[in-house]
């Protein structure tokens, strides 16, 4: 009976060792899986952090563009499609940063949960390794072993003992908990990668839309600038012609005044003819008609001269308005081209980005001409 009991317990020990070893191998695999998942989630978290960090540059560029465009003046300081797209871009970037920050926070919390699950698995595995060593040592004992001896009350039930079902449930719970956390981590990784891709796509689409609107605005401003330059040239020509007309009118008026002086002098001198010679002859009538005719002509010339001067004043005001508006357009072009150059940082690496020294002249290939002081003086 003693031999059979010893044989049965040897068998039980062997089976127990095999059972514990199976669980140890299961825990080993689960630990390897959870380590791989922790590493994968950490990399995804790092990628999300990099994507979050990368949003700072587009946000700075958008805010810089909005700030630059606030330097537009007068009528050009308008809420145009470029401004709307820039405001949309800021909102898209802010939304992307919030979503990425949320994913980073979730990844951090999930890493903590994975580490907690790994700690439970690792502790369970260490206990099983220790139990295996003890049971294998027990299996190796025999009557010839040197370290056998009588013990005090060896059949007592130690404190903290567990039933086999409870022991297995503990390992099963640790395994299931780890698997559940790994599943949640996998889903979070996929969601985070999707968020990174979506935010990048949304930001790229918004960047393209903003730059399309900006380039269109620059083309419109360029056309408006050309139109204003053409109007300025025409107005200058009209002013030159009007000034020439005024000079001709003034010269005609001067000559008519001289003629009138002659006629007045003739009439006044003939007033001193003596006696019967003071005759109202044809000369008298002719000189009188000449004076009336000259006076009418002088009145007409003065009226024409006043109208011409008013027209010249209107042309000078128009020229001032055109040149002022042209200055606004030139300033707006300068600001928008600076925005365009600033946005090159979004597609060109920062270390390779060299801003243009003269953005406006590079784009329009022309030199702005300032109005002459005399052209702006109103009579």
């Amino acid at each position: 009976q003693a031999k059979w009991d010893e044989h049965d317990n040897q068998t039980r020990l062997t089976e127990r060792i095999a059972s514990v070893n199976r669980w140890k191998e299961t825990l080993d695999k689960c630990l390897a899986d959870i380590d791989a998942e922790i590493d994968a989630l950490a990399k995804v978290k790092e990628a999300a952090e990099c994507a979050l960090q990368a949003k700072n540059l587009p946000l700075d560029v958008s805010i810089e563009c909005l700030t630059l465009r606030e330097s537009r003046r007068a009528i050009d300081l308008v809420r145009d499609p470029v401004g709307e797209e820039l405001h949309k871009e800021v909102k898209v970037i802010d939304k992307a940063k919030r979503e990425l920050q949320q994913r980073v926070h979730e990844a951090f919390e999930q890493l903590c949960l994975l580490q907690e699950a790994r700690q439970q698995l690792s502790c369970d595995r260490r206990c099983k390794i220790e139990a295996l060593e003890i049971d294998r040592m027990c299996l190796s004992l025999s009557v010839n072993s040197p370290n056998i001896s009588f013990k005090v009350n060896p059949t007592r039930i130690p404190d903290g003992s567990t039933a086999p079902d409870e022991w297995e449930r503990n390992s099963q719970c640790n395994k299931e908990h780890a698997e559940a956390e790994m599943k949640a981590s996998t889903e979070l990784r996929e969601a985070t990668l999707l968020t990174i891709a979506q935010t990048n796509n949304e930001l790229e689409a918004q960047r393209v839309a903003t730059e399309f609107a900006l380039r269109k605005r620059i083309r419109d401003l360029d056309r408006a600038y050309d139109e204003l330059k053409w109007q300025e040239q025409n107005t200058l020509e009209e002013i030159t012609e009007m000034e020439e007309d005024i000079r001709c009118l003034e010269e005609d008026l001067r000559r008519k005044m001289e003629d009138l002086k002659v006629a007045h002098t003739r009439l006044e001198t003939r007033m001193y003819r003596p006696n019967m010679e003071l005759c109202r002859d044809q000369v008298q009538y002719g000189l009188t008609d000449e004076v009336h005719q000259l006076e009418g002509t002088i009145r007409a010339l003065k009226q024409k001269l006043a109208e011409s001067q008013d027209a010249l004043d209107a042309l000078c005001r128009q020229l001032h308005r055109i040149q002022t508006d042209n200055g606004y357009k030139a300033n707006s072009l300068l600001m928008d081209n600076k925005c365009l150059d600033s946005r090159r940082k979004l597609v060109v690496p920062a270390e390779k980005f060299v801003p243009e020294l003269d953005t406006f002249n590079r784009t329009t290939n022309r030199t702005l001409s300032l109005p002459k002081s005399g052209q702006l003086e109103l009579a």
Side-chain angles (χ1 to χ4, degrees):
Q1 183 64 41
K3 287 179 180 181
W4 277 110
D5 288 343
E6 195 271 341
H7 177 269
D8 289 343
N9 285 324
Q10 286 279 96
T11 303
R12 292 188 183 100
L13 270 173
T14 302
E15 292 174 352
R16 179 61 180 175
I17 289 171
S19 178
V20 173
N21 194 56
R22 281 195 302 273
W23 268 112
K24 174 187 168 295
E25 291 174 353
T26 299
L27 294 177
D28 285 341
K29 182 179 181 304
C30 201
L31 274 170
D33 292 341
I34 203 170
D35 284 340
E37 184 60 36
I38 288 174
D39 184 60
L41 183 58
K43 289 179 179 178
V44 170
K45 175 177 173 288
E46 183 179 357
E49 289 172 340
C50 291
L52 178 61
Q53 182 68 25
K55 299 298 179 289
N56 290 334
L57 178 60
L59 183 60
D60 290 343
V61 169
S62 299
I63 293 175
E64 179 184 356
C65 290
L66 287 171
T67 304
L68 280 171
R69 300 189 89 246
E70 287 178 358
S71 299
R72 294 174 298 166
R73 298 194 296 268
I75 191 64
D76 273 17
L77 188 58
V78 62
R79 182 70 179 270
D80 54 7
V82 178
E84 293 175 359
E85 293 298 335
L86 283 170
H87 282 289
K88 285 181 185 177
E89 191 170 65
V90 171
K91 291 180 181 178
V92 168
I93 296 172
D94 285 337
K95 175 175 172 288
K97 291 186 70 173
R98 288 195 302 271
E99 291 178 354
L100 288 170
Q101 185 62 57
Q102 178 65 24
R103 293 302 182 189
V104 169
H105 179 68
E106 291 173 356
F108 174 77
E109 291 184 341
Q110 188 60 41
L111 281 171
C112 293
L113 294 174
L114 286 172
Q115 290 288 356
E116 180 184 356
R118 188 191 185 284
Q119 183 66 23
Q120 292 174 350
L121 288 174
S122 181
C123 180
D124 196 3
R125 178 179 176 275
R126 285 196 305 270
C127 292
K128 283 179 170 48
I129 290 175
E130 187 176 349
L132 279 173
E133 291 176 354
I134 292 173
D135 282 348
R136 282 169 179 163
M137 184 192 69
C138 291
L139 184 61
S140 66
L141 292 176
S142 68
V143 294
N144 296 320
S145 299
N147 55 343
I148 62 174
S149 63
F150 290 107
K151 309 296 180 184
V152 178
N153 193 18
T155 59
R156 70 187 183 280
I157 299 176
D159 294 336
S161 296
T162 58
D165 291 343
E166 186 179 356
W167 167 81
E168 188 156 0
R169 278 199 306 272
N170 178 68
S171 295
Q172 186 68 32
C173 286
N174 289 338
K175 176 177 174 291
E176 290 175 353
H177 179 228
E179 289 174 346
E181 295 300 340
M182 284 189 286
K183 181 180 178 182
S185 176
T186 301
E187 293 174 353
L188 179 59
R189 280 193 295 114
E190 293 173 352
T192 302
L193 291 173
L194 181 61
T195 299
I196 293 173
Q198 286 179 340
T199 54
N200 287 342
N201 290 340
E202 289 174 0
L203 184 55
E204 177 63 18
Q206 185 58 51
R207 183 190 68 81
V208 171
T210 301
E211 292 191 6
F212 176 80
L214 185 57
R215 292 178 188 278
K216 183 177 183 300
R217 178 62 176 171
I218 289 174
R219 289 194 299 270
D220 292 343
L221 284 171
D222 204 27
R223 284 194 294 269
Y225 180 83
D226 290 338
E227 176 67 22
L228 287 171
K229 290 298 290 183
W230 179 79
Q231 291 181 13
E232 179 184 0
Q233 184 63 34
N234 285 350
T235 305
L236 285 171
E237 292 175 359
E238 290 180 12
I239 287 175
T240 302
E241 293 175 1
M242 187 59 66
E243 288 174 342
E244 182 62 27
D245 290 344
I246 289 174
R247 281 193 295 271
C248 291
L249 286 172
E250 288 174 343
E251 180 62 24
D252 287 345
L253 183 60
R254 186 189 65 79
R255 286 198 300 267
K256 296 298 181 290
M257 294 295 288
E258 294 297 327
D259 292 341
L260 184 60
K261 287 179 184 179
V262 172
H264 278 194
T265 302
R266 285 174 175 173
L267 281 172
E268 182 64 24
T269 302
R270 296 185 86 246
M271 292 289 183
Y272 297 99
R273 289 174 295 168
N275 299 324
M276 294 300 293
E277 295 301 322
L278 188 61
C279 175
R280 296 180 64 188
D281 53 11
Q282 293 298 318
V283 175
Q284 184 76 13
Y285 288 116
L287 287 172
T288 302
D289 289 342
E290 182 182 2
V291 167
H292 292 161
Q293 181 67 33
L294 285 171
E295 287 175 347
T297 302
I298 288 172
R299 283 195 301 273
L301 285 173
K302 286 182 177 179
Q303 178 66 25
K304 184 64 175 177
L305 184 61
E307 292 174 357
S308 298
Q309 192 62 55
D310 290 341
L312 179 61
D313 292 344
L315 286 172
C316 289
R317 287 193 295 270
Q318 181 180 356
L319 179 64
H320 178 266
R321 179 188 61 78
I322 290 172
Q323 290 175 335
T324 302
D325 198 10
N326 220 358
Y328 296 153
K329 293 293 183 291
N331 180 70
S332 298
L333 267 173
L334 180 63
M335 294 302 104
D336 282 347
N337 276 290
K338 282 185 177 180
C339 291
L340 199 60
D341 276 343
S342 178
R343 295 183 67 82
R344 288 177 59 208
K345 291 182 285 188
L346 301 180
V347 292
V348 178
E351 62 274 10
K352 296 182 180 179
F353 175 72
V354 179
E356 297 288 346
L357 293 178
D358 193 345
T359 305
F360 177 72
N361 287 340
R362 171 183 63 78
T363 303
T364 61
N365 195 24
R366 60 172 66 87
T367 302
L368 294 179
S369 58
L370 295 175
K372 297 180 181 178
S373 59
Q375 295 170 352
L376 299 182
E377 294 178 358
L378 304 181

